Every structure is written in structure tokens, then in C-alpha cells.
Amino acid sequence: MPRAAEGDSSAGHARDLRTLIDVERTGGAKPPAGAQRLLVVDDEDTVRELLSATLRFAGFEVSSAATAGAAVAAAVAEPPDLVLLDVMLPDMDGFEVVRRLREQRLGGRGRPVPVLFLTARGRQADKVTGLSLGADDYVTKPFDLEELIARIRAILRRTSEHPADVLTVGTLALDAEGHQVTRSGRPVRVSPTEFRLLRYLMENAGHVVSKAQILDRVWSYDFGGDASIVDTYISYLRRKVDNEEPKLLHTVHGVGYVMREPRQ
């Protein structure tokens, strides 16, 4: 499968793109009944059409939008199972789109709709911003279409898992169904990414998990080899949910982190 690239003049790739887009325009790719719904948001016609055609061939139901405003309207009218979102849009950036989607409280079972950022902006600061807003993945152009589909499927598997009812460690409680966190009965507001990290730690309470395991489970990939994002989010959780005694979130130096009640 070809790579989706900006300014790619390869004759072979151009033929592949034209073939896929021609099939898309003639309605040749029909999703199966019950297919998961994706919303593709990109202001570049070729990229948007290529992605839509490719994802339909992969068995998804796909709608698309060329602007941020159209994307928010489409998501509100028919909430998708996942949004593929370009950061650089003509009317507002993708980060603002995510904020607006979160305000609309879209998504099934009380959880935010998953978002995969798709952009030419590969700066680490942009990645951190996107993931801090609760995005589930961040892919830079040019990208391999097979890898992109694999990442989409990984996100959908993770977000469609049936959650445990309530997880507790000491005075900390996480309601996976209601997407709520409390400490000593006090509600704690956490971002979607913080929620996923906290849930993973609580599901493995008493067991040390490494940064590599956290990256694979919470972010589903190695974040460009930069494991410092784990330390950053552990710090966020400590300030929000572990700011009273007894401390529940512990560092095991040289190994990873563990969520546990104090040893008696």
C-alpha cells in the first residue's frame, strides 16, 4: 500500500491514488453492515479522498470534512467511533476542534470520542499538546497507509473494550463506566489520557509496570522513542489524585511505576 505524502510525484503512487479515488467517487467501496464510523478531516482534497477511499476498502464507514467547523458539525450530527484530524485547518487548528468535541461530550459510554491527529507538523511540542488534550495518537506526514490502519484498529480495540465497573486502590476510586475519578470521595477532574494511564495503573495495582509497557498500553506506540511523556503524565496524576496521605503512586527506580497501598 502506498505512503500518503505531500508533494509525492512518483508515477506509481500517483496511479494508486487515482485508482483509489476513482473507486471512491463512483461508490465502489461499500462498508459492511455495522462497520465502525470514521470521520476524516483534512483540507487537502487529495489526502482526504485518498484516506476516505482507503479506509472504506479496509471495511470502515467513512465521512469527511474539509474545515474545522464542518468537522464539529458532522461529529455532533452523527458521532463517529474515531476522528482522523489534521492539525492545520483553514478556519481553526485541530487542537481547538478537539476542545470543542470534548465540550460536546461526544462518544459512547460516557467516554470522549477517540482522536488521531494526522499532520505535517512533527514538532515534539505539538505532539505533547495534542496528547495532552486527550488525543489517542499522533501521526506525521508522510505516513504509511497500512501502519495508519493498524493504529486506527489499535485505538478502536482499546476504546471499545468493556470496562470494569469500579477500580479502587485505598481511597482512590475510578468508575470506568461513568468516566469518573474520586479520592476520599472528592471528585477529581482528569484528562482522557490521564484517565487511561490511571486506569492502567489501577488495573495492575501491586505490580510494577515499566515505561515501555505504559507507552504500549496507554499510547499504543513508543511516542518516537521519547519515554519522558510517561514521567510527565505521572507527575500530572500525582498532583491531581495522589496529593494526600497515604501516597498510592510509587516510583521503582530503574524499573517503572506501581500503584499500591502503603505496606503495613
Side-chain angles (χ1 to χ4, degrees):
M1 189 172 288
R3 292 173 68 83
E6 296 182 332
D8 186 350
S9 58
S10 165
H13 285 180
R15 285 193 299 272
D16 289 335
L17 301 189
R18 285 197 298 271
T19 299
L20 284 169
I21 291 170
D22 286 344
V23 172
E24 163 73 7
R25 287 172 173 167
T26 57
K30 302 296 184 183
Q36 291 170 301
R37 295 191 303 275
L38 307 182
L39 174 60
V40 175
V41 186
D42 199 299
D43 63 326
E44 295 185 42
D45 294 342
T46 300
V47 173
R48 189 175 63 255
E49 292 177 331
L50 166 64
L51 285 173
S52 296
T54 302
L55 294 171
R56 282 195 176 93
F57 272 110
F60 297 104
E61 180 181 338
V62 183
S63 57
S64 63
T67 66
V72 173
V76 171
E78 189 174 9
D81 294 300
L82 182 142
V83 179
L84 282 83
L85 179 61
D86 190 13
V87 169
M88 296 181 288
L89 296 168
D91 46 345
M92 70 181 81
D93 65 33
F95 301 141
E96 180 60 26
V97 173
V98 172
R99 293 187 185 97
R100 297 194 181 192
L101 292 178
R102 298 294 182 249
E103 290 172 359
Q104 295 290 335
R105 300 184 183 277
L106 304 176
R109 304 178 68 86
R111 296 189 296 270
V113 61
V115 174
L116 186 154
F117 275 122
L118 189 65
T119 180
R121 287 166 59 169
R123 295 183 306 166
Q124 192 76 354
D126 290 329
K127 292 182 180 181
V128 172
T129 297
L131 293 169
S132 296
L133 288 170
D136 296 80
D137 207 338
Y138 197 114
V139 179
T140 55
K141 302 174 184 177
F143 53 87
D144 182 87
L145 290 169
E146 289 182 347
E147 179 186 355
L148 178 64
I149 291 171
R151 291 192 181 206
I152 290 170
R153 294 194 192 282
I155 294 170
L156 291 171
R157 281 196 304 271
R158 185 175 69 243
T159 57
S160 63
E161 290 175 351
H162 183 73
D165 291 333
V166 176
L167 299 170
T168 59
V169 178
T171 58
L172 178 65
L174 181 148
D175 180 352
E177 180 76 13
H179 208 271
Q180 295 178 337
V181 176
T182 60
R183 179 76 192 259
S184 300
R186 172 180 54 86
V188 181
R189 186 172 181 177
V190 296
S191 73
T193 303
E194 291 165 351
F195 186 90
R196 291 196 303 272
L197 174 56
L198 180 61
R199 179 181 169 187
Y200 179 64
L201 292 168
M202 294 180 72
E203 286 174 337
N204 291 277
H207 301 280
V208 179
V209 291
S210 67
K211 291 182 183 180
Q213 289 174 308
I214 292 172
L215 285 166
D216 179 67
R217 184 60 180 84
V218 178
W219 281 275
S220 294
Y221 73 116
D222 65 2
F223 199 60
D226 183 4
S228 66
I229 190 70
V230 175
D231 300 322
T232 299
Y233 273 84
I234 290 290
S235 176
Y236 293 161
L237 286 182
R238 282 186 165 135
R239 291 200 297 267
K240 291 185 176 184
V241 304
D242 208 27
N243 55 3
E244 64 180 62
E245 297 294 337
K247 301 299 184 183
L248 303 175
L249 182 52
H250 306 274
T251 300
V252 180
H253 294 289
V255 182
Y257 300 97
V258 60
M259 179 76 70
R260 66 165 180 254
E261 297 184 61
R263 294 190 176 93
Q264 301 299 322

